[in-house]
Amino acid sequence: MKKLVLAFFAAVLVAGSCVNAGEIRIAMILKALDAEFWLSVREGARDAAAANPGVTLTVMAPDRELNVQQQVQIVEDQLVQGVDVLCLAPCGSQELMPVMENAHEAGIPVVLVDTDAPWDKKAAYVGTNNVIGGELAGDFIAQRLDGKGKVALITGVMGHQAMMDRVNGCRQALEKHPGIEIVAVQPANSERALAMTVVENILSSHPDLNAIFCANDPMAMAALEAVRADRSDAVVVGFNADAEAVQSVKDGGLAATIAQSSYNIGYRGVETAIRVFNGEAVPAHVDTGTDLVTIENADDFLD
């Protein structure tokens, strides 16, 4: 069966090699398209494709970040169709590894976007350095707490590398301060409703909680709602700099959020895919940058 599969992919590759010079078919498979962040990634990708004549771009995603198998199926379908380059934000690094290997064996380069994976055959990774972003959040929290207090960390879907990196970066920054205790590390699957329940439960167990770091802004907005309902004064920090979150920072709700350039992830992801297809050398990691958004600079990010 494996030989048949590889023979089929080889046939697809040969057929694909017959496209006219300059024509490139890129498939960008994201984790979801149900949040401002992912829509901005798609916008950047579409603008990059439009700026490069001959590029045909398809952007797809499962209906929820949890649906790893749905994403696997989408990738498999694109491989069968014989795309030239695959841009992938893997919902689960381990679960997507077999289809990434299939792409490599079929001669289809894989550019990882937004979420890196420990796979040495990727053509490049384009996205935020999520560990550094998490460290920015942790350093900010430690400063706000004067180096002492109780902190909870809320991550997304377990196994999502980007979410793990953000939480681990925050943890590393907080652990530099002996007076800070991390009392909970809980997943909320990047979902607002679930985050509300998770934070309510944490506040019930730790009424003296001083700060919460959430690995994305929808979860942070839910955490803020739970904190206010509990009449807690816990500091809440998010990640992504979604418009709602930045406005909340400006209005004195969220204490901060970490900005990553979702638009640039999409734009530079497609640019990198084009360069890879053309045989050009590309950096192993195209860092699209991170910034700390506070009440002092929130207006800059709203603009």
Side-chain angles (χ1 to χ4, degrees):
M1 179 60 71
K2 183 177 180 182
K3 290 181 179 179
L4 289 173
V5 170
L6 293 178
F8 178 78
F9 280 130
V12 168
L13 179 61
V14 171
S17 67
C18 297
V19 298
N20 294 330
E23 292 186 359
I24 308 173
R25 293 163 296 174
I26 300 172
M28 179 171 280
I29 316 300
L30 304 176
K31 294 180 185 177
L33 287 168
D34 61 353
E36 178 185 333
F37 175 83
W38 295 115
L39 295 176
S40 179
V41 174
R42 182 176 67 180
E43 180 185 3
R46 286 176 170 175
D47 285 353
N52 289 275
V55 173
T56 300
L57 173 70
T58 303
V59 181
M60 290 164 290
D63 50 16
R64 297 171 65 203
E65 292 192 24
L66 276 171
N67 292 343
V68 180
Q69 289 308 312
Q70 186 183 3
Q71 190 186 47
V72 169
Q73 185 61 58
I74 292 170
V75 174
E76 288 177 341
D77 290 344
Q78 289 304 301
L79 296 185
V80 168
Q81 292 182 38
V83 296
D84 296 309
V85 188
L86 180 66
C87 290
L88 176 64
C91 285
S93 299
Q94 294 305 314
E95 293 88 343
L96 270 294
M97 201 71 72
V99 288
M100 290 192 289
E101 287 286 349
N102 287 343
H104 178 75
E105 290 174 356
I108 300 172
V110 179
V111 175
L112 297 181
V113 296
D114 175 72
T115 301
D116 203 357
W119 185 54
D120 59 5
K121 298 173 186 174
K122 63 195 169 199
Y125 164 62
V126 179
T128 305
N129 187 321
N130 286 292
V131 174
I132 289 178
E135 289 176 346
L136 284 174
D139 287 339
F140 173 83
I141 290 171
Q143 184 178 23
R144 281 290 297 266
L145 300 185
D146 291 326
K148 54 185 181 296
K150 295 183 177 181
V151 181
L153 309 179
I154 310 299
T155 186
V157 179
M158 296 302 291
H160 282 199
Q161 193 66 43
M163 294 290 171
M164 294 166 59
D165 287 347
R166 292 171 192 177
V167 169
N168 287 338
C170 186
R171 185 202 297 269
Q172 290 168 17
L174 294 174
E175 288 178 346
K176 297 174 185 176
H177 304 271
I180 291 180
E181 179 185 2
I182 298 173
V183 298
V185 181
Q186 295 290 331
N189 297 343
S190 297
E191 296 179 354
R192 192 164 183 152
L194 180 56
M196 180 81 172
T197 301
V198 169
V199 174
E200 286 173 343
N201 291 338
I202 292 173
L203 288 169
S204 177
S205 301
H206 302 280
D208 55 347
L209 189 70
N210 301 111
I212 305 169
F213 169 64
C214 296
N216 79 358
D217 282 337
M219 294 190 297
M221 294 304 299
L224 179 63
E225 187 177 351
V227 162
R228 286 175 167 171
D230 192 69
R231 299 182 182 276
S232 168
D233 60 356
V235 170
V236 181
V237 176
F239 201 113
N240 277 353
D242 292 347
E244 180 188 19
V246 176
Q247 186 65 52
S248 178
V249 171
K250 179 180 178 179
D251 295 340
L254 293 182
T257 182
I258 304 301
Q260 53 177 339
S261 180
S262 50
Y263 178 89
N264 278 341
I265 290 172
Y267 197 100
R268 299 191 70 184
V270 168
E271 277 192 334
T272 301
I274 294 169
R275 292 180 61 190
V276 168
F277 179 81
N278 288 331
E280 300 176 31
V282 298
H285 178 195
V286 180
D287 189 349
T288 50
T290 49
D291 288 289
L292 177 69
V293 182
T294 65
I295 196 168
E296 287 79 17
N297 65 354
D299 277 332
D300 295 339
F301 291 88
L302 286 174
D303 292 340

